[in-house]
Amino acid sequence: MHAPGRQVHEFALVTKGGGRVLVRTQSSGVAGTDGTPTGVYCAFSEVHAQIDLERSVALSESLFEDAAWGVVLVDADLRPAVVNAHAAKALQAPSRTAALGRPLGELLDHGLDALEGALQHVLAQGAPPAPADIWVTLRRGADATVGRTATEAVPSGDVRAAADTSRCWRSGFLRLASPLAEEPLPLGVAWLFRDVTEERRAAQDVSRLRFRDGQLHRAARAAAECEDPMEAATVHLDFALAGFADHALLDLVPEGWTGGDGPVPLVRAAATPAAAHSHGTSLEPGPAGGIPVGYGASHPAVQAYERGNTVRTSVGGVVVPDWAEARRWPAGTVHGICGVLRSRGRTLGVVTFLRGTSRRGFDRGDAAYAEDIAVRLASAVDLFRSTAR
């Protein structure tokens, strides 16, 4: 009663059943109206229960301060209620409090539907049995490059033309419920994630390279059975198209052309799929025809021929009216890559691969693959012209 402040003690109690319970007590003196000690107030609890509570609080503090992965507590309205420092950095929020209470749609663009679907599932059904990979793109302002046409040469060793802003987050979810309620009362969802983008991209690159090597091998075996070298070239185009592009065009320089005023008069020799040429030109593809396609001097295929190197072009992932038609490409094309056909020190033509809005732009790995295909096409075209004399 006479000790100042609060006193904390731990001691063991022996129950009537012979059990032992470790108890932590907190006691303080109680003074009367005249200030003299009149009694003691004592509160106690089992130590293990107290330690469990303290551990839970310490764990929460550690997760929100020092964790090396993102932790976000999402309320029942799917809005962030608590964000740790790692998650705030991943979401590009200026501080831990900047993202609180904001709809996830203000933070994320691509991948928002998948994330909200996962959160709603956890709230209704509980945590999933294993973590899931979710690809997300952070919400940004209007992209100044949308609608802009970019054409670039791709020398060997060039870096990737445009960095992919999508991130892959390995995500785990836990449903939070109040331990004090008589019935389970959902407080929200704990969303834990870490960035595994580099690992996933590396795995995708390996898988893509394995598939493309297999396609080149199968194309070589199929082309070896063709008596007509131009048929072999078309076989290479057909095999290359799978998983790589939507359309492929083969344009050749007229045999014996030595140069002149204006751009090189490229002649359409093959197109795949078969109906692809109908969207850009009315000329039926074939190496025997001598009528040029009619490309302008600024056309990517003409630039590739003049530079002797691969050229990539893109409109930015959205359809721009008349962009594809002006280049005599199928409607809906937004990405293109042109590779030159070189054989025995001569440039024989240009092969063009095209992608629509459902595909990403061509990168350095795609340029290397297009160049591999161009080498095989050049051999077939050179053989055709040698045997046709």
Side-chain angles (χ1 to χ4, degrees), residues 76-388:
D77 293 331
L78 304 186
R79 295 169 181 256
V82 186
V83 177
N84 76 339
H86 188 95
K89 182 179 180 180
L91 294 169
Q92 295 187 356
S95 65
R96 288 182 52 184
T97 59
L100 302 185
R102 297 172 58 185
L104 292 174
E106 294 183 6
L107 303 173
L108 302 177
D109 187 3
H110 175 74
L112 176 63
D113 293 340
L115 178 58
E116 288 187 339
L119 294 173
Q120 291 172 349
H121 172 79
V122 173
L123 284 172
Q125 304 294 333
D133 291 346
I134 301 179
W135 285 89
V136 299
T137 302
L138 299 180
R139 175 74 67 180
R140 300 179 184 275
D143 190 350
T145 63
V146 172
R148 176 180 58 84
T149 300
T151 303
E152 60 168 331
V154 187
S156 58
D158 187 27
V159 296
R160 183 169 295 185
D164 190 357
T165 57
S166 297
R167 310 301 300 175
C168 183
W169 289 346
R170 184 73 167 168
S171 302
F173 303 92
L174 297 172
R175 182 169 63 177
L176 305 179
S178 173
L180 304 179
E182 294 183 0
E183 297 181 358
L185 180 63
L187 298 178
V189 177
W191 171 32
L192 295 83
F193 66 90
R194 67 183 183 93
D195 196 319
V196 295
T197 306
E198 299 306 322
E199 295 91 327
R200 295 297 176 267
R201 283 180 177 162
Q204 290 177 355
D205 289 342
V206 171
S207 177
R208 186 183 302 116
L209 182 60
R210 185 186 303 112
F211 173 77
R212 289 177 177 178
D213 286 344
Q215 287 295 100
L216 291 176
H217 176 71
R218 286 188 286 270
R221 295 188 61 178
E225 302 298 326
C226 298
E227 295 184 3
D228 182 2
M230 285 307 300
E231 182 183 357
T234 304
V235 167
H236 277 291
L237 280 183
D238 290 335
F239 273 91
L241 207 63
F244 182 63
D246 297 321
H247 302 282
L249 309 174
L250 178 60
D251 301 317
L252 302 180
V253 179
E255 193 170 4
W257 184 77
T258 58
D261 297 334
V264 55
L266 294 172
V267 177
R268 179 65 44 81
T272 186
H277 67 279
S278 63
H279 297 276
T281 176
S282 299
L283 293 174
E284 186 70 23
I291 302 178
V293 181
Y295 293 151
S298 61
H299 194 280
V302 176
Q303 292 185 18
Y305 175 85
E306 293 175 348
R307 299 175 184 178
N309 212 334
T310 303
V311 168
R312 284 176 282 178
T313 182
S314 177
V315 77
V318 295
V319 176
V320 175
D322 301 331
W323 184 83
E325 288 77 2
R327 288 156 180 77
R328 300 181 180 273
W329 286 344
T333 297
V334 295
H335 309 295
I337 186 170
C338 300
V340 292
L341 277 62
R342 296 278 300 175
S343 179
R344 295 191 293 174
R346 297 173 299 157
T347 301
L348 304 180
V350 178
V351 60
T352 302
F353 295 99
L354 307 173
R355 289 176 177 173
T357 55
S358 61
R359 295 175 180 264
R360 59 176 176 80
F362 293 97
D363 58 21
R364 184 177 63 177
D366 297 327
Y369 184 59
E371 291 168 358
D372 286 343
I373 299 167
V375 170
R376 290 162 170 78
L377 292 175
S379 299
V381 172
D382 196 9
L383 178 61
F384 170 78
R385 289 184 171 179
S386 298
T387 56

Side-chain angles (χ1 to χ4, degrees), residues 11-67:
F11 57 91
L13 294 180
V14 181
T15 65
K16 291 182 178 180
R20 294 170 61 86
V21 179
L22 185 62
V23 174
R24 176 178 294 176
T25 65
Q26 301 183 52
S27 58
S28 60
V30 179
T33 56
D34 56 355
T36 59
T38 59
V40 176
Y41 177 81
C42 180
F44 65 93
S45 64
E46 185 181 355
V47 172
H48 294 296
Q50 183 75 14
I51 291 176
D52 289 343
L53 176 61
E54 292 178 359
R55 284 173 176 166
S56 297
V57 174
L59 174 61
S60 298
E61 291 298 324
S62 297
L63 287 175
F64 289 106
E65 293 293 342
D66 305 322

